[in-house]
Amino acid sequence: MSESKAPKIEFPCDYVIKVIGDAAPDFVEFVVEVVEQHAPGLSDDDVSVKDSRGGRFASVSLTIVATGEPQLKALFEELKASGRVHMVL
């Protein structure tokens, strides 16, 4: 059996991140602030929000310009370390 390798990403590129956490009035603002620290220049068109059916969770999708794996790793780690984020995809 051969090992399949993950596809190589060529940077810089547009990169979609999905952040899932508990729904709160300031959750989207919090996510955008953290993402802006690592990938400045987001516009309203780069952000979309979807609430869960029961309203308990919120999903924020953002399109950023990714510059490299270190940037993405730092962004993912900061979001997860906040305690407010359940999952980053």
Side-chain angles (χ1 to χ4, degrees), residues 11-88:
F11 296 102
C13 65
D14 286 346
Y15 192 88
V16 178
I17 297 172
K18 187 173 192 175
V19 182
I20 301 167
D22 292 325
D26 66 336
F27 183 69
V28 175
E29 182 181 328
F30 162 75
V31 171
V32 169
E33 284 178 11
V34 172
V35 171
E36 277 278 344
Q37 292 174 16
H38 297 274
L42 287 176
S43 72
D44 289 342
D45 294 335
D46 296 328
V47 181
S48 65
V49 181
K50 186 174 183 182
D51 292 324
S52 66
R53 216 177 314 153
R56 183 172 171 204
F57 301 102
S59 168
V60 184
S61 295
L62 308 102
T63 302
I64 66 167
V65 176
T67 58
E69 288 184 32
Q71 172 205 35
L72 294 175
K73 184 178 179 181
L75 173 57
F76 280 43
E77 286 177 359
E78 184 173 347
L79 286 167
K80 287 189 230 175
S82 70
R84 299 188 68 183
V85 173
H86 293 288
M87 194 179 309
V88 181

